[in-house]
Amino acid sequence: MSTTYNFCAGPAMLPQDVMKKAQSELLDWNGLGTSVMEISHRSKEFVELTARAESDLRELMSIPANYHVLFMHGGGRGQFSAVVNNFLGENGQALYLTSGSWSKSSVEEARKLTCDAQIDNLDIVENTNGISQVVIPQLNEIDKDYRYLHYCPNETVDGIEIFDEIDSPWPIIADMSSNIMSREIDVSKYGLIYAGAQKNIGPSGLSIVIVRDDMLNLPCLPQSSIMDYRLAVKHDSMYNTPPTFAWYLAAEVFAWLKSKGGVDRMANTNRQKAALLYDFIDSSDFYTCKVHQANRSLMNVTFYLANEELNSEFLKLATETNLVALKGHRSVGGMRASIYNAMPIEGVEALVEFMKEFAANNR
Ligand code: PMP
């Protein structure tokens, strides 16, 4: 079987080594004669797995001791509502920065759960000659007592990433669904970080929440128990039956990341992979990227063919070459290559080769 490189934005490619290990121990995990998904989440073996997963994640992201790490249900969108219900209270207000599709969705969800006056929204993308760039205003000049500021540092659909740290007078909540552990970040700058698992962590459905302990003193709204951070902390993320198989695979991905030298090493490779692709796109008049250099995502490279009539031919031939799932999101069109941690540099090299050849054959 020749290698297939899967550029899907999510659920995305997982590390081959992890998938092979999972396959080899699917029917007999840890010598128990049963799979990990068939045992009690309260069994000694599973609880040990969760402790290992948490300590590996803490090490990988240098998570300070005053932060809780939660493994929750409901993916990224589950957290859109959880942050509102956990932190806004009856009269609280929050500021949402919008930079693309996912942060806009988080505003819609927040407004659905509150009265509109509680959610302020600031669009931070400027578009000049068709090129999108993030410009963040001086937030310290805003005279409002927000409970939190919410933003999405990597817009999966648009391929827009915000690399600068945000200087905010209010606790920062970041949706890192598509860039968690792709590069070094300083966790202590955030009140809460969340991520749906299906890009850099494991199977969909699981979400990781990293929350500073003082955030849990904010007033909350009535909410479902399974999305309640305080209950999740109290019950070690096991208030109800957690997604155990996803948790197991996440633990394996964390162990794999450590074996590869951790987030710093991964970040170097990610920068190389992204540079390879963006440099090629910039050098060609056949392809264009509509994101400003300062905000080009390391994880989701969006690009367009100069002649959009060739889109379906491009996708058909790419698939035949075992380069799959390159179609851009339906809301923005074009192409998108998602190159998360599990994508080896060889996958990006193969893509660039294919793009060169396609351009040469279609002039
Ligand atoms: N936020 C971001 C940045 C995402 O990329 C996604 C999913 N692609 C979500 C939120 C929503 O995640 P889910 O589908 O797990 O709810």
Side-chain angles (χ1 to χ4, degrees):
M1 200 175 86
S2 68
T3 310
T4 294
Y5 293 113
N6 174 8
F7 294 91
C8 186
M13 186 172 180
L14 290 170
Q16 276 271 308
D17 296 348
V18 170
M19 297 305 274
K20 283 187 184 147
K21 181 160 190 279
Q23 184 183 41
S24 75
E25 58 194 27
L26 187 67
L27 300 180
D28 180 8
W29 179 71
N30 224 11
L32 295 178
T34 173
S35 89
V36 67
M37 61 185 131
E38 298 165 303
I39 61 168
S40 167
H41 52 297
R42 305 204 187 279
S43 63
K44 177 171 100 19
E45 290 81 4
F46 194 79
V47 170
E48 277 169 14
L49 179 158
T50 64
R52 200 168 58 247
E54 176 171 339
S55 81
D56 283 352
L57 183 63
R58 283 187 178 275
E59 187 182 326
L60 284 163
M61 293 183 69
S62 306
I63 300 174
N66 60 329
Y67 284 72
H68 302 281
V69 174
L70 306 175
F71 290 76
M72 300 189 76
H73 294 271
R77 276 190 192 272
Q79 295 307 312
F80 289 180
S81 55
V83 294
V84 175
N85 289 334
N86 274 279
F87 299 141
L88 216 48
E90 288 295 327
N91 306 309
Q93 285 189 300
L95 177 62
Y96 279 66
L97 304 182
T98 44
S99 48
S101 172
W102 284 110
S103 50
K104 283 178 189 154
S105 290
S106 65
V107 172
E108 276 169 29
E109 186 76 3
R111 291 205 164 130
K112 206 166 91 182
L113 297 167
T114 57
C115 64
D116 283 357
Q118 290 185 268
I119 305 296
D120 283 348
N121 168 216
L122 210 56
D123 203 281
I124 53 170
V125 174
E126 285 182 3
N127 195 294
T128 317
N129 303 327
I131 302 292
S132 301
Q133 181 177 15
V134 172
V135 181
I136 302 174
Q138 278 297 331
L139 298 171
N140 289 298
E141 289 169 5
I142 302 175
D143 186 20
K144 283 238 187 163
D145 190 17
Y146 293 123
R147 295 259 159 82
Y148 63 82
L149 169 136
H150 181 283
Y151 86 117
C152 179
N154 188 62
E155 289 283 2
T156 323
V157 168
D158 313 79
I160 293 177
E161 185 157 0
I162 302 168
F163 294 97
D164 292 337
E165 265 176 15
I166 296 203
D167 188 14
S168 160
W170 320 285
I172 300 175
I173 295 184
D175 172 4
M176 294 198 186
S177 294
S178 51
N179 70 341
I180 192 163
M181 291 188 292
S182 63
R183 58 183 169 86
E184 316 80 338
I185 56 142
D186 180 354
V187 172
S188 72
K189 297 282 193 294
Y190 299 84
L192 184 145
I193 292 167
Y194 66 84
Q198 65 270 30
K199 292 117 180 9
N200 264 341
I201 295 173
S204 58
L206 176 73
S207 40
I208 303 289
V209 176
I210 301 164
V211 57
R212 204 173 58 216
D213 53 12
D214 65 335
M215 294 291 289
L216 302 176
N217 301 327
L218 288 171
C220 49
L221 292 166
Q223 60 183 313
S224 73
S225 300
I226 66 160
M227 299 309 264
D228 183 334
Y229 297 143
R230 294 151 192 91
L231 273 181
V233 168
K234 190 166 156 210
H235 293 272
D236 295 325
S237 305
M238 292 201 194
Y239 179 73
N240 75 327
T241 314
T244 53
F245 191 70
W247 203 334
Y248 150 78
L249 260 184
E252 292 297 336
V253 169
F254 300 154
W256 172 82
L257 253 174
K258 276 178 62 180
S259 78
K260 294 285 163 198
V263 173
D264 300 14
R265 285 283 290 281
M266 203 43 75
N268 279 340
T269 313
N270 287 336
R271 289 188 191 103
Q272 276 175 33
K273 286 172 355 195
L276 203 62
L277 197 43
Y278 286 119
D279 287 351
F280 169 67
I281 291 168
D282 287 344
S283 72
S284 145
D285 57 4
F286 197 87
Y287 304 98
T288 50
C289 173
K290 298 184 184 174
V291 181
H292 191 278
Q293 307 264 1
N295 297 114
R296 288 179 170 184
S297 169
L298 292 178
M299 296 284 99
N300 310 99
V301 178
T302 49
F303 62 93
Y304 294 82
L305 272 61
N307 178 0
E308 297 252 29
E309 281 172 13
L310 293 171
N311 281 357
S312 37
E313 184 64 8
F314 178 92
L315 290 167
K316 181 172 157 277
L317 288 181
T319 306
E320 284 170 18
T321 318
N322 292 329
L323 304 169
V324 304
L326 284 161
K327 190 169 186 201
H329 191 269
R330 60 191 176 281
S331 60
V332 292
M335 304 296 155
R336 171 176 54 180
S338 295
I339 49 175
Y340 299 115
N341 288 348
M343 173 64 68
I345 196 151
E346 291 78 10
V348 181
E349 285 166 355
L351 175 60
V352 169
E353 272 318 300
F354 168 78
M355 288 168 70
K356 266 186 202 159
E357 209 176 301
F358 186 84
N361 294 338
N362 287 280
R363 290 206 176 270

